[in-house]
Amino acid sequence: MQNFQGVGVSPGRIIGSVRQMPKPVSEPPSGDRLAADVSPEDAVAGLKAAAQAVHDELKGRADTASGDGKAVLEATALMAKDTMLLKSASKLINAGSSAERAIWEAGASVSEMLHNLGGYMAERATDVLDVRARIVAELRGVPAPGIPSSDTPFILVAEDLAPADTATLNPAVVQALVTSGGGPQSHTAIIARSLGLPAVVAAHGVDDIADGTEVFVDGAAGFVAVSPTDEHRAAATAWAETSATLAEFDGNGTTADGHLVPLLANVGGAKDAVAAAALGAQGVGLFRTEFCFLERDTEPSVDEQAAAYKAVFDAFPGKKVVLRTLDAGADKPLPFLTDATEPNPALGVRGYRTDFTTPGVLERQLEAIARAASESEADVWVMAPMISTAAEAGRFASLCAAAGIQTPGVMVEVPSAALTAATVLREVGFASLGTNDLTQYAMAADRQLGPLAELNTPWQPAVLRLVQLTVEGAEQESSGREGAAKPVGVCGEAAADPALAVVLTGLGVTTLSMTARSLAAVGTVLKTVTLEQARELATLALSAPSATEARDWVRAKLPVLEELGL
Amino acid sequence: MPERTATIASRSGLHARPAALFAEAAGEQQVEVTIAMQGEPADDALDAASILSLMTLGAAKGDVVVLRAEGDGADAALDALVKLLETDLDAE
């Protein structure tokens, strides 16, 4: 029996058959010539046959898809046998190029042409490159790149997944995700949690598991076993039963002794918000407004923004919706705000900082938010991402006030904001900890890098200490004035880990916001501990010498996790 | 050579879904149909059945384009395609 240990990022125990994600198609060498025994006519015919096969495959998928996905697949299918693409490739073949190299170059020039046109056309440039890679794979007789299409369920094994893979990932067929690379904060982890799929990342060696091999995956323990034992089968069966009960959240986040910790949802738009409300979310703790406009290369109008925001507010009448202003930059570029050529984008002009270089966008966004809020019944709070100093917090608060927004706040993601939380919070009404970026900055470890996965976990005692300092800062700020301490929530991936949610509650965090799929699991576990026990577990985690020990020590004191397979 | 002018009616212009529908319809005709912006020389006309050509043409709502075709059935083909261009395909 062969086992692999990685990092568990989304709970669930399941047994299934492995399908490896094909490797990306490599570029045919520059100057690759037609083989001596192949005539240009035959090569062109071969290329056309390959293009037709790719067209038929994509068209077949379009026929079973629906909505936006269907339209994109239909257009992509047409690109595969496009006369302009094939004519320019045929010309290259007639000049002596190999078919693979010809379609590669023809695709590159068409893609560049579309890219230079900007806007919608630029967005389609990557579709042409995708089609090109599929045709080359077909010519080589290797599997098409991307998530394999299959009618029978499988466990997907890949090096890592990109955000674009989400669109083609069918959760009815993909049972679990296992990656050899990536980290706890990678896109794979985020995709898995949002779809409720068990997932293990950074499991070295899984790339060598053959297609069709039966494996057991434990997404909580981060464990993958080839040739599952009877125990594994029993665990998978038990999970199938408990997961049904864990699918429902009663809409009341509280500890066993009645200390209320509202459980909120992270959303990217109206569709998420409606789904989150249906799953019992007590409000929205993080509305990522940039997700409404990721495909845009021009600034959306105030009217357009107001409509998008109101659609989210309307899903939560009478409830809290915390909106984050545009968080562009690093892995989420918006062409109208960010400079793609920065050498170090994670430390660059991103989040609130884009207001330094592109003033006006933030003020117009605040105007749109204020308008949408006035037309809805939600309790709208607004926060700025990537705040580093009290002065920035103060300026943001005055912009909010000028727009007529009642409750301004800040994201605490930069360690400097956590360390100076008392002065930062003097300027605004609340803080929300973004643990993903806070971890990346505290540990100086890129979120997307597999080799740094061990550093990149919010279980790092240093990160927990920054959370504690932020809560202490809020208490310090409230001393000497009337009223309670200002709320400090968590809206990073950390809140979705039930064990960590208990620790965060013990540290004094007032609300937890997460992907809606995790609400039920977090709510269930939170109800099993008292506030006092949560505080003890927080102290225990803070005293650990490493992230692994912090996690293990806390989990050992929470046997409910093992019982539920979380 | 038979030709027709048509005003693009789709809200998103000749992009996305409208371009796909139009390219597919053009490809189904018995004759080869070309498309150009009004005022552009006929030599620069693009293949109307090529979705990538349509995208590079960049025709927006309200733009006028010229369709040309030759041979048996050219008139019928052009009439059918003009009708498609002058329908708001985004609304369907």
Side-chain angles (χ1 to χ4, degrees), chain A residues 78 82-84 117 120-121 128, chain B residues 15-16 20 47 50-53:
Chain A
L78 279 176
D82 189 273
T83 49
M84 172 171 158
L117 286 169
Y120 172 82
M121 255 66 75
V128 177
Chain B
H15 308 156
D47 183 352
S50 158
I51 186 169
L52 294 169
S53 297

Side-chain angles (χ1 to χ4, degrees), chain A residues 298-393:
Chain A
T298 52
E299 181 188 348
S301 70
V302 169
D303 286 348
E304 198 183 337
Q305 291 187 55
Y309 306 153
K310 183 171 184 298
V312 169
F313 299 161
D314 285 349
F316 288 94
K319 303 226 173 107
K320 179 161 94 171
V321 176
V322 183
L323 179 152
R324 176 176 72 189
T325 56
L326 292 172
D327 185 22
D331 57 342
K332 290 172 299 192
L334 288 179
F336 57 92
L337 277 177
T338 48
D339 170 10
T341 63
E342 279 182 347
N344 212 343
L347 303 182
V349 180
R350 55 169 301 200
Y352 169 78
R353 301 167 178 187
T354 55
D355 190 54
F356 306 163
T357 48
T358 321
V361 175
L362 178 59
E363 276 155 289
R364 288 187 287 276
Q365 185 180 21
L366 293 174
E367 182 192 338
I369 296 165
R371 189 195 298 172
S374 72
E375 290 167 1
S376 86
E377 287 165 39
D379 176 17
V380 177
W381 296 20
V382 183
M383 62 186 179
M386 288 291 289
I387 290 289
S388 315
T389 66
E392 287 174 3

Side-chain angles (χ1 to χ4, degrees), chain A residues 178-210:
Chain A
V178 176
T179 64
S180 57
Q185 327 265 16
S186 65
H187 287 294
T188 303
I190 293 167
I191 292 168
R193 280 189 286 253
S194 71
L195 295 175
L197 292 176
V200 176
V201 300
H204 306 293
V206 293
D207 294 325
D208 297 328
I209 305 177

Side-chain angles (χ1 to χ4, degrees), chain A residues 169-241:
Chain A
L169 198 160
N170 177 2
V173 178
V174 177
Q175 300 169 297
L177 303 176
V178 176
T179 64
S180 57
Q185 327 265 16
S186 65
H187 287 294
T188 303
I190 293 167
I191 292 168
R193 280 189 286 253
S194 71
L195 295 175
L197 292 176
V200 176
V201 300
H204 306 293
V206 293
D207 294 325
D208 297 328
I209 305 177
D211 273 0
T213 306
E214 191 181 51
V215 296
F216 167 74
V217 174
D218 185 332
F223 176 74
V224 180
V226 171
S227 32
T229 63
D230 289 345
E231 263 174 61
H232 293 150
R233 287 181 201 285
T237 309
W239 169 261
E241 285 161 18

Side-chain angles (χ1 to χ4, degrees), chain A residues 33-118:
Chain A
R33 308 290 294 171
L34 206 54
D37 56 347
V38 180
S39 72
E41 291 73 27
D42 287 348
V44 169
L47 175 63
K48 283 191 175 157
Q52 184 68 44
V54 170
H55 167 270
D56 294 349
E57 146 80 10
L58 291 171
K59 189 77 173 52
R61 279 169 54 187
D63 290 344
T64 58
S66 59
D68 289 351
K70 186 186 182 74
V72 169
L73 281 168
E74 277 174 348
T76 317
L78 279 176
M79 286 179 193
K81 54 169 198 178
D82 189 273
T83 49
M84 172 171 158
L85 186 65
L86 293 178
K87 269 183 192 159
S88 82
S90 302
K91 255 186 217 167
L92 293 168
I93 291 174
N94 285 322
S97 172
S98 73
E100 286 175 29
R101 184 66 201 176
I103 191 69
W104 191 270
E105 285 182 16
S109 64
V110 172
S111 165
E112 195 187 338
M113 207 173 350
L114 291 177
H115 183 80
N116 291 340
L117 286 169

